[in-house]
Amino acid sequence: MKKIILLSGLITFLFIIQAFAQNDSLKLHYNFETDNSGRVTEICGNYGPAYLYNGASVKDMGEYKVLALGANNGYLDMGASVGNLIGSLTDFSISTYVFINPLSNLNLNGNYIFNFSFSDNVITDANGVMFFGAKAMRYAISKTNYLAESGIETGSQLKKGEWVHLVYTQKGIAATIYINGIALKKGNVTMQPNSLGATTKNYIGRSAYAADVYLKNALLHDFRIYNKALQTTDIQTMAGKTTLLNSAMASNTNLIAIRTNSNPIITDVYTADPAALVHNNKVYIYTGHDESTNESYAMHEWLVFSSDDMLSWTPHPVPLRVTDFSWAARDAWAGQVIERNGKFYWYICAQHRSIGGKAIGVAVADNPTGPFRDARGTALVTNNMTTQYTGISWDDIDPTVFIDDDGQAYMFWGNTQCYYAKLKENMIELDGPIKPVHLPSFTEAPWVHKRGDWYYLTYSQFFPEKTACAMSKSINGPWEFKGILNEVAGNSNTNHHAIIEFNNQWYFVYHNGSLPTAGGSYRRSVCIDYLYYNEDGSLKRVQMTSEGVSNPPVTSVRINRANDRSDIRIYPNPAKGKINYSIPSFNSGNAFINIFDESGRKVFQQEITNSNGSLTLNRLAKGNYILNYTDELSANANVSLIVE
Ligand code: FUB
């Protein structure tokens, strides 16, 4: 017993010694506490405060402080005095926790986690630099510039979408890069920082190469420099904190959410072919990823974004790639995710490696953001299964899946010819024959939804594409063509869409090519606008807008009588966007109600054919308007209208 007590006492003593040794060697430490002036405090007390630039900020992630670099070249300037530390280092370690935004483009030069240099233009000044870049997880040091670097790298990008613990250590010339406690790369680095001298440009998130990109939208937590090489066991202990950081992140996704005030909703990358899913009070948008630099598609992966208000969108790590399907050769084209029995099924289309032509596959995951895996190992539908209908090899694309009220699932898809088939309860096998669906001028991109008794089959028509609508009282048709739902979406020749209801409001999700400056048919971007129904259940034509859903839909209107001469009465109506009118002296000819905004711009007009009726104000932003009634006999009444 005595021996055990002695042993545990010894272990505790060793831990204390080790902690002291570690603390003693800790020379610079930001836990991202700020002082009263908003500067970042160096908590060892060895150096002055660090300054935040270009929108970089310190944020709370639950109980943790994080440095948020932001989207606009934000960085932290540690100050010139920190160069004295760099100039004194022989053996050393730099440790931090990093969260790389899933949308960050780490392929570009730059993306530096830290940089210690003597100028911001080391390529021409060639006066020395040491850095760690996220692009290839590379540490390097040079007395001039990249032409004389000594460094090591893992060769792969820092993982996106999760907290990663990163440590670079050097003992003599023995260098190691640790990621999450694992020594991912060991090698020799022939210079130590003391031979560089006291650097003057000491940054987090910014490079000394003027043409390099800044590390955008990344988060950092707890940045430290030690004047010794940390032990692997210490590093492993420190790495354990990533679990805590990742769970804090899960309830603080606002830290990386993209707040949209306009269409397109995502501007960091090109997103195409949207599908949408509502699950547990959240909306998930699944998209393709356009990466083309010419006039043909380059699509290798799919993306997912989530939102609980349709305005802030959280990007998630890439959930699915073409390479996740062993049978697929290329082309991460359109698809849809649907939930059944707690599993999420993602129906996609891609080029088939051996059969040729496009094929449909299905991936499965336990949660809506994945990761997804091929659910079958083979394609669900291949080109040779539909040759009796078309001679083209790309007719088996754009799957959309719908589960009817009786639990039967159906898949619709097609190009030139629309098809549908039942799916088995397991969602990964067809349950019966593939049947054609007869729709006028069908091009591709069907989407099926139901509201009340009506089934809606909306799809892309012609080329460039418009979205058309057909309706039926049965999922098996016949489908009655109802005309155009959405016009050609600007400069995109395709017009892929999804329709969802979320919090009692319907939305039309689509893509266009409007993202400056290279947007177009092969660099598309997802947009969202409101969708409205007519009283007979048919769909109103979509109004594509730049504002998107940042303008709240009309929820109520208040009418103030403003003109005694008026003989029009308007009644606020609780139904969304609707107001009733009554015009006692209605004149049957050429009567109109017009609505003008404060600048005098006409924003609404409706011909009036009855003395009583209602106006459906699809989308008026909050504000004051003038409602004006005119008829052939020059009756003219103005009423002020307040949209709340
Ligand atoms: O993005 C590739 C293809 O273009 C999709 O599968 C079609 O719907 C069209 O948008």
Side-chain angles (χ1 to χ4, degrees):
M1 186 60 162
K2 249 188 193 167
K3 269 186 190 163
I4 293 175
I5 293 170
L6 271 177
L7 188 64
S8 76
L10 182 64
I11 289 172
T12 316
F13 177 71
L14 287 175
F15 265 123
I16 292 169
I17 295 280
Q18 190 191 30
F20 268 124
Q22 191 173 315
N23 284 343
D24 201 35
S25 59
L26 179 58
K27 296 298 170 193
L28 174 138
H29 186 189
Y30 303 117
N31 66 356
F32 299 116
E33 295 286 346
T34 47
D35 63 18
N36 290 340
S37 310
R39 301 168 305 182
V40 174
T41 311
E42 195 284 293
I43 57 173
C44 291
N46 295 333
Y47 300 96
Y51 287 76
L52 296 156
Y53 284 102
N54 296 349
S57 59
V58 166
K59 300 226 160 101
D60 290 323
M61 185 179 73
E63 60 183 287
Y64 306 106
K65 296 275 179 203
V66 298
L67 167 66
L69 293 175
N72 302 309
N73 295 345
Y75 67 99
L76 184 77
D77 186 344
M78 296 179 253
S81 64
V82 168
N84 297 329
L85 171 61
I86 301 302
S88 72
L89 294 174
T90 51
D91 295 351
F92 73 105
S93 303
I94 300 184
S95 158
T96 191
Y97 301 84
V98 188
F99 182 99
I100 302 284
N101 190 291
L103 301 184
S104 292
N105 184 353
L106 295 183
N107 292 326
L108 303 172
N109 284 338
N111 283 305
Y112 281 13
I113 309 276
F114 58 76
N115 172 95
F116 300 96
S117 64
F118 299 89
S119 79
D120 292 329
N121 196 6
V122 70
I123 200 143
T124 52
D125 299 344
N127 51 2
V129 60
M130 98 185 214
F131 68 89
F132 190 96
K135 180 186 172 189
M137 285 195 253
R138 175 171 177 75
Y139 168 85
I141 183 165
S142 168
K143 277 195 173 165
T144 58
N145 57 23
Y146 70 98
L147 292 170
E149 275 176 2
S150 178
I152 58 167
E153 64 180 42
T154 70
S156 49
Q157 298 184 348
L158 203 60
K159 196 157 187 198
K160 299 179 191 176
E162 65 182 58
W163 280 97
V164 169
H165 182 229
L166 156 71
V167 181
Y168 174 78
T169 66
Q170 193 171 330
K171 189 171 178 55
I173 61 164
T176 311
I177 294 170
Y178 290 87
I179 299 295
N180 290 339
I182 296 166
L184 267 197
K185 183 73 189 179
K186 286 177 187 263
N188 289 340
V189 172
T190 52
M191 252 176 85
Q192 290 174 313
N194 68 335
S195 54
L196 201 59
T199 53
T200 52
K201 305 285 182 180
N202 305 312
Y203 304 136
I204 292 176
R206 177 179 175 177
S207 157
Y209 289 88
D212 273 4
V213 297
Y214 290 61
L215 181 66
K216 291 203 184 78
N217 293 315
L219 307 173
L220 279 95
H221 172 68
D222 198 88
F223 184 92
R224 301 171 182 226
I225 302 181
Y226 296 86
N227 68 356
K228 72 164 198 174
L230 292 174
Q231 300 292 315
T232 302
T233 46
D234 295 335
I235 294 170
Q236 284 168 341
T237 307
M238 292 162 88
K241 193 176 184 183
T242 52
T243 311
L244 302 174
L245 295 174
N246 280 322
S247 62
M249 187 73 198
S251 37
N252 287 279
T253 51
N254 58 312
L255 287 171
I256 53 157
I258 303 153
R259 175 98 195 154
T260 50
N261 291 317
S262 57
N263 278 326
I265 59 164
I266 308 293
T267 54
D268 299 78
V269 291
Y270 294 108
T271 51
D273 299 330
L277 169 76
V278 178
H279 179 72
N280 279 351
N281 299 320
K282 265 190 192 296
V283 177
Y284 296 86
I285 293 204
Y286 300 88
T287 76
H289 183 187
D290 273 340
E291 297 184 82
S292 176
T293 50
N294 56 35
E295 294 311 283
S296 60
Y297 295 121
M299 305 179 78
H300 314 296
E301 62 190 19
W302 292 268
L303 304 174
V304 57
F305 304 86
S306 64
S307 173
D308 39 31
D309 62 1
M310 299 296 282
L311 291 171
S312 281
W313 291 96
T314 302
H316 298 272
V318 172
L320 189 63
R321 296 186 164 87
V322 172
T323 49
D324 293 325
F325 299 94
S326 58
W327 54 264
R330 59 172 195 271
D331 300 338
W333 284 16
Q336 183 183 350
V337 176
I338 188 162
E339 187 262 345
R340 175 155 224 171
N341 298 332
K343 293 232 179 279
F344 297 82
Y345 295 90
W346 195 333
Y347 299 83
I348 57 90
C349 58
Q351 183 73 14
H352 200 285
R353 190 179 288 285
S354 54
I355 298 175
K358 289 284 181 288
I360 293 173
V362 53
V364 66
D366 295 328
N367 70 69
T369 54
F372 285 81
R373 59 176 197 283
D374 187 353
R376 293 168 48 95
T378 57
L380 175 62
V381 176
T382 49
N383 185 43
N384 51 5
M385 292 163 73
T386 53
T387 38
Q388 73 267 40
Y389 297 106
T390 71
I392 62 172
S393 65
W394 59 93
D395 55 329
D396 297 302
I397 66 166
D398 294 0
T400 175
V401 172
F402 172 79
I403 302 175
D404 209 350
D405 301 337
D406 62 2
Q408 177 62 56
Y410 297 84
M411 182 167 79
F412 288 70
W413 72 98
N415 179 295
T416 310
Q417 173 64 55
C418 184
Y419 305 107
Y420 83 120
K422 286 183 181 171
L423 288 172
K424 289 189 179 162
E425 167 89 21
N426 67 15
M427 298 300 273
I428 63 169
E429 288 175 273
L430 297 186
D431 192 11
I434 295 173
K435 296 181 186 166
V437 184
H438 301 293
L439 295 165
S441 308
F442 176 83
T443 304
E444 58 185 4
W447 181 270
V448 176
H449 79 278
K450 191 178 183 200
R451 178 177 175 265
D453 293 344
W454 285 110
Y455 295 83
Y456 298 79
L457 205 179
T458 42
Y459 61 95
S460 296
Q461 210 188 25
F462 310 121
F463 201 81
E465 296 172 353
K466 302 178 182 201
T467 309
C469 178
M471 290 167 65
S472 176
K473 288 279 178 175
S474 159
I475 190 70
N476 295 302
W479 295 94
E480 191 184 334
F481 183 64
K482 293 288 184 182
I484 296 168
L485 174 59
N486 193 27
E487 299 290 350
V488 172
N491 59 345
S492 169
N493 54 24
T494 59
N495 198 339
H496 203 104
H497 76 287
I499 291 173
I500 46 161
E501 186 186 22
F502 179 60
N503 288 343
N504 300 318
Q505 174 69 47
W506 286 86
Y507 294 92
F508 186 77
V509 189
Y510 60 103
H511 67 218
N512 65 20
S514 70
L515 190 62
T517 54
S521 293
Y522 303 98
R523 284 164 300 283
R524 298 161 290 181
S525 296
V526 170
C527 300
I528 308 178
D529 275 296
Y530 296 114
L531 182 72
Y532 295 97
Y533 294 83
N534 293 310
E535 254 151 39
D536 65 357
S538 59
L539 283 164
K540 285 183 187 295
R541 197 170 290 198
V542 171
Q543 245 185 289
M544 291 181 280
T545 67
S546 297
E547 294 79 10
V549 295
S550 63
N551 268 350
V554 174
T555 49
S556 69
V557 287
R558 192 150 50 87
I559 306 297
N560 290 343
R561 284 294 293 274
N563 189 333
D564 283 339
R565 199 166 67 84
S566 149
D567 59 356
I568 175 171
R569 284 194 284 276
I570 307 282
Y571 307 104
N573 185 312
K576 213 168 261 173
K578 270 195 178 165
I579 52 177
N580 294 338
Y581 65 82
S582 146
I583 306 168
S585 64
F586 174 68
N587 170 17
S588 60
N590 264 340
F592 288 94
I593 283 182
N594 308 297
I595 297 179
F596 299 88
D597 66 16
E598 280 178 314
S599 66
R601 193 170 61 104
K602 192 189 283 186
V603 291
F604 175 89
Q605 179 173 62
Q606 184 171 312
E607 187 166 6
I608 301 300
T609 49
N610 285 302
S611 59
N612 291 288
S614 68
L615 313 173
T616 302
L617 305 177
N618 276 356
R619 38 171 304 108
L620 284 184
K622 247 183 183 177
N624 299 314
Y625 296 85
I626 294 295
L627 184 146
N628 158 261
Y629 167 72
T630 59
D631 69 25
E632 229 171 23
L633 300 180
S634 311
N636 195 323
N638 286 338
V639 173
S640 73
L641 167 71
I642 300 161
V643 176
E644 293 169 326

